[in-house]
Amino acid sequence: MMEPSKTLGEFIIEKQEEFKYSTGELSRIINSIRLAAKVVNYKVNKAGLVDIVGAAGEVNIQGEDQQKLDVYANEVFIQTLINREIACGIASEENDDFITVSGSDNSHNNKYVILMDPLDGSSNIDVNVPVGTIFSVYRRLTPIGSPVTLEDFLQPGINQVAAGYVIYGTSTMLVYTTGHGVNGFTLNPAIGTFYLSHPNMKFREDGNIYSINEGNYIHFPQGVKDYLKYCQKEEGDRPYTSRYIGSLVSDIHRNMIKGGIYIYPTSTKSPNGKLRLLYECNPMAFITEQAGGKASDGYTRILELEPTELHERVPFFCGSKNMVEKAEEFMLYANEE
Ligand code: P6P
């Protein structure tokens, strides 16, 4: 008989000793993400029933004020993290400034800062396209017992102690790393339990999928234009296939499984790119590297970039190692001309 898959809870207990800090802390971090993901999943999957649940900003038939789903998701993740007494600070795409969490005893004794994009790609909800939650976890730098400061959030990605994403798709998955590989858990909605469905996820070194919004082609840097022409040329295993969902978590999740590269470059419309370094690029880069892939801004490793602002944007090249390196070659060559 097939061995029943391990649950997320059993996996956390089994892997606890890999988390280099206190034993209970990783559990509390991932367990709070797990709970919030189930709550948000329920709401996201109901979103299509607008006339029953009501569209955002309207009052539904129960007379409840409808929140925008990304606002709702933000509140669920923030409150769940606060309740678990694990975070001393939280930063979110939905909040201009970071949130100081003093703890129930007002001691500021919690040790971790969590940065997140609570519902990335939320504009896709109305057209039933998968969306995601992205989270990134650091140990605070400033003394325990004092209020968290901006310095605790502006850490390079190499300092992350955990990172992951939830993808609300045809099935809901939680995929995360604590620096010892990447594992994916699929929710069984009938019983509300996540099961280990994708152990030790790996990016293929090569792939034939490129994910980029070619509608911005004329605004791209020359190196990106040259790389796209390379992808589309009849030679060897090319032309590659273009697949772009417009939902970062979905595009990277597919590329990790099938092999591929995701690019959001600078453009004249987005001179620093569109994606946020701290709570989109760094966590996805940590996961990508842990799965054997590569992530850069076209020149420099994402995880080594020194952040200067909470919501700063960077160009993002992420995916199969050989594909990212080929794209970086074109970026370098174009700069030398
Ligand atoms: P564009 C969603 O808004 C997002 O942040 C990512 O999830 C996605 O990959 C990208 O932006 C899509 O941006 O400009 O192609 O619509």
Side-chain angles (χ1 to χ4, degrees):
M1 187 182 85
M2 282 280 284
E3 184 72 10
S5 295
K6 202 168 290 176
T7 68
L8 174 56
E10 290 163 347
F11 184 85
I12 291 172
I13 291 165
E14 181 187 294
K15 299 291 182 184
Q16 198 50 69
E17 73 285 349
E18 287 178 354
F19 194 59
K20 57 185 174 183
Y21 299 105
S22 145
T23 52
E25 292 170 341
L26 169 68
S27 308
R28 299 218 305 274
I29 294 172
I30 302 298
N31 281 330
S32 57
I33 301 286
R34 170 176 63 177
L35 174 62
K38 288 195 276 193
V39 172
V40 170
N41 176 63
Y42 175 74
K43 200 87 168 181
V44 164
N45 285 334
K46 264 182 20 178
L49 303 174
V50 167
D51 53 342
I52 295 177
V53 300
E58 294 175 354
V59 175
N60 67 18
I61 53 176
Q62 286 89 3
E64 299 158 347
D65 289 335
Q66 272 313 108
Q67 292 179 309
K68 275 173 63 71
L69 271 175
D70 40 16
V71 173
Y72 172 79
N74 193 46
E75 289 172 3
V76 168
F77 275 95
I78 288 171
Q79 200 48 57
T80 310
L81 285 165
I82 291 173
N83 295 347
R84 287 293 168 102
E85 295 281 346
I86 185 66
C88 57
I90 301 169
S92 167
E93 185 186 43
E94 295 293 326
N95 299 70
D96 291 343
D97 204 352
F98 62 84
I99 297 164
T100 300
V101 182
S102 57
S104 51
D105 57 0
N106 208 27
S107 63
H108 300 281
N109 276 338
N110 295 335
K111 305 184 182 79
Y112 296 89
V113 292
I114 288 114
L115 300 97
M116 65 178 177
D117 184 351
L119 206 60
D120 178 71
S122 52
S123 58
N124 290 304
I125 285 187
D126 298 344
V127 293
N128 216 359
V129 164
V131 293
T133 296
I134 310 170
F135 64 92
S136 171
V137 185
Y138 293 84
R139 199 154 167 91
R140 70 178 298 174
L141 297 176
T142 54
I144 290 173
S146 59
V148 72
T149 70
L150 184 59
E151 177 194 353
D152 292 305
F153 294 93
L154 297 185
Q155 299 187 49
I158 47 174
N159 290 2
Q160 290 174 98
V161 294
Y165 59 82
V166 182
I167 179 168
Y168 308 97
T170 46
S171 58
T172 295
M173 281 191 68
L174 170 60
V175 177
Y176 79 90
T177 182
T178 58
H180 300 273
V182 178
N183 292 283
F185 300 80
T186 298
L187 177 67
N188 176 341
I191 54 176
T193 302
F194 281 99
Y195 285 93
L196 178 62
S197 54
H198 296 66
N200 195 27
M201 296 180 78
K202 288 293 178 197
F203 253 106
R204 288 188 193 157
E205 272 211 331
D206 246 320
N208 67 0
I209 296 173
Y210 64 93
S211 307
I212 188 170
N213 184 343
E214 293 185 75
N216 299 325
Y217 179 84
I218 57 168
H219 303 293
F220 287 157
Q222 191 55 44
V224 172
K225 291 179 179 176
D226 295 341
Y227 177 65
L228 290 181
K229 290 304 158 218
Y230 166 83
C231 293
Q232 294 156 358
K233 191 175 177 194
E234 290 275 359
E235 192 176 278
D237 60 352
R238 287 172 283 125
Y240 294 155
T241 297
S242 172
R243 286 285 183 276
Y244 189 70
I245 298 176
S247 177
L248 176 68
V249 168
S250 306
D251 277 316
I252 292 185
H253 183 77
R254 179 207 51 242
N255 290 351
M256 180 152 55
I257 292 170
K258 292 182 178 282
I261 183 172
Y262 171 98
I263 302 176
Y264 207 106
T266 58
S267 69
T268 42
K269 290 194 301 183
S270 313
N272 296 317
K274 176 182 182 185
L275 300 184
R276 311 289 189 167
L277 172 59
L278 287 181
Y279 41 79
E280 289 175 328
C281 300
N282 268 336
M284 296 313 281
F286 187 23
I287 291 164
T288 296
E289 288 197 2
Q290 282 292 312
K294 192 164 185 183
S296 75
D297 62 2
Y299 308 99
T300 306
R301 184 185 179 208
I302 288 287
L303 296 184
E304 291 177 0
L305 296 177
E306 287 293 341
T308 54
E309 291 167 25
L310 210 49
H311 299 286
E312 73 180 80
R313 301 172 193 267
V314 292
F316 196 44
F317 295 61
C318 175
S320 295
K321 183 171 174 296
N322 295 349
M323 296 181 84
V324 172
E325 288 176 351
K326 177 58 78 176
E328 288 170 343
E329 276 176 35
F330 282 101
M331 294 298 284
L332 207 55
Y333 180 73
N335 266 11
E336 285 160 3
E337 280 194 314

